[in-house]
Amino acid sequence: MDSTLIIGSYTSSQKKYLQNYSLSTNKFSNPYLSKGRGPSEIIYMANISLYDNYLGINDARGKKIVILDKNNAILGNSESELITYSFKKNQFYFAILTDDLQCITTGNGTSKFKIQIIDLQTGEIIRDLGKLKSNPNDMPTHIIAQAGLTYPLLKPTRDKLALAYYHTDIIEIFDLNTEKSTSLQGPETFNSDFRIYNNNWLPNDKTKFAFVSGTKTNKYIYLLYSGKNANDKKWNQGNYIFVFDWNLNPIKKIILDKEVSQISISEDDKTLYSFDEYTGYIIQTTINY
């Protein structure tokens, strides 16, 4: 955003979730957004989203989304004016701000739909999209939700939503106006494989991870591909990035010289960023089309 990267940390030794890095000064800010169970704290930060002047942090375990002013976050005054909206009894693995009154969510273990639109002021589901297919084995909904877990990416024009699947290499595009979707599978074409133990989803020897992260612009979708088995300690990392347009036309395959776990892209689609959690370095590469 502008000349600032907002970096999320999951290191257990750190007491704060977020930190900024200035591309103009090459300096990190002080960490902010406290971990914990307090009213202004986050139990588990599942994802970050950005809308207009707002930064939204989805607390998957706390069943809430915390919103802060992005300018305050960059200036280091982020924790002075936090707004918290409760999802009540619902737990969503991902939540994306669509404006200052609504968000789009995925990964709800109690819904028969892939996507929900939430009214932030009431915490209620006001719209469902993408009904799940029939379930001949009468499998519990929360198992289906985990097996079909997706990484959602909202087009900046907010009329399309991309769903990149974790456990099968499927990409799905939803038109939020018509509620119609198209999908594409590849590059390996494998299905979600798992086992059920004590009514919980668990990986097995055949469980693989497909798209573990992504980013987007108005022109393209960028998806980081793993292809690793669940028993691989670096299952959430990859060095292949597949680029599609919003009609699911393949544009480019980018091969990085090292594995990363998260990616971000400049608005002009020319510069790709990541963060190496092991060395503390910012990774940057120029994309040529």
Side-chain angles (χ1 to χ4, degrees):
M1 196 216 71
D2 301 325
S3 61
T4 302
L5 299 177
I6 299 174
I7 301 169
S9 172
Y10 293 92
T11 306
S12 58
S13 60
Q14 294 190 7
K15 297 181 179 180
K16 307 278 186 175
Y17 265 119
L18 300 179
Q19 194 172 17
N20 302 329
Y21 180 81
S22 171
L23 295 169
S24 57
T25 65
N26 298 322
K27 292 183 178 179
F28 284 96
S29 72
N30 291 324
Y32 59 98
L33 195 64
S34 299
K35 299 178 181 180
R37 297 181 177 271
S40 298
E41 297 176 332
I42 297 291
I43 301 174
Y44 177 73
M45 180 180 69
N47 72 293
I48 307 170
S49 60
L50 187 67
Y51 165 74
D52 196 20
N53 201 44
Y54 301 99
L55 188 67
I57 296 91
N58 176 37
D59 185 350
R61 292 177 186 161
K63 300 179 182 179
K64 65 185 179 183
I65 188 168
V66 173
I67 298 175
L68 53 91
D69 185 293
K70 71 176 183 184
N71 293 324
N72 286 341
I74 290 173
L75 293 173
N77 304 318
S78 59
E79 299 191 18
S80 58
E81 297 181 7
L82 293 176
I83 304 172
T84 300
Y85 292 109
S86 172
F87 291 140
K88 296 187 174 180
K89 295 181 180 180
N90 289 305
Q91 179 173 321
F92 305 104
Y93 201 85
F94 289 108
I96 303 172
L97 287 177
T98 57
D99 55 40
D100 56 348
L101 296 175
Q102 293 182 358
C103 69
I104 287 179
T105 63
T106 62
N108 183 0
T110 61
S111 176
K112 294 183 179 180
F113 291 83
K114 300 176 184 179
I115 304 163
Q116 290 76 43
I117 298 180
I118 309 297
D119 179 271
L120 291 177
Q121 293 182 316
T122 64
E124 300 289 343
I125 298 172
I126 58 176
R127 188 178 168 197
D128 290 299
L129 294 168
K131 190 171 184 178
L132 296 170
K133 295 181 180 179
S134 60
N135 181 15
N137 297 323
D138 198 26
M139 192 177 295
T141 306
H142 69 279
I143 300 291
I144 298 175
Q146 183 64 40
L149 190 64
T150 59
Y151 192 96
L153 294 166
L154 183 64
K155 190 176 182 182
T157 52
R158 299 195 297 280
D159 58 338
K160 290 185 177 183
L161 182 74
L163 299 181
Y165 284 71
Y166 269 82
H167 302 301
T168 175
D169 52 349
I170 291 176
I171 311 150
E172 192 169 5
I173 302 291
F174 271 87
D175 187 310
L176 297 176
N177 295 321
T178 66
E179 298 190 10
K180 294 181 178 180
S181 71
T182 56
S183 61
L184 180 71
Q185 187 166 16
E188 296 183 81
T189 312
F190 63 89
N191 295 322
S192 180
D193 208 318
F194 56 94
R195 61 190 176 98
I196 301 175
Y197 181 74
N198 285 343
N199 202 30
N200 291 312
W201 179 98
L202 290 174
N204 60 25
D205 292 338
K206 297 180 180 179
T207 303
K208 290 183 67 173
F209 285 86
F211 303 105
V212 292
S213 177
T215 187
K216 85 290 179 192
T217 63
N218 266 325
K219 288 182 68 176
Y220 300 129
I221 303 163
Y222 300 80
L223 298 177
L224 178 64
Y225 186 77
S226 166
K228 296 183 175 69
N229 286 83
N231 55 10
D232 192 315
K233 292 182 179 180
K234 295 185 178 181
W235 62 263
N236 64 333
Q237 297 183 8
N239 64 330
Y240 295 107
I241 298 171
F242 292 92
V243 185
F244 300 88
D245 66 16
W246 285 93
N247 293 314
L248 278 184
N249 294 309
I251 302 299
K252 189 177 181 66
K253 177 182 178 181
I254 300 169
I255 304 176
L256 304 178
D257 61 1
K258 70 178 305 176
E259 293 189 329
V260 297
S261 58
Q262 293 284 337
I263 54 174
S264 186
I265 189 73
S266 59
E267 289 186 2
D268 61 4
D269 293 279
K270 292 182 179 180
T271 309
L272 192 74
Y273 297 99
S274 187
F275 176 69
D276 190 330
E277 58 187 301
Y278 299 105
T279 65
Y281 281 99
I282 300 296
I283 301 167
Q284 175 180 326
T285 185
T286 301
I287 304 173
N288 297 312
Y289 288 96

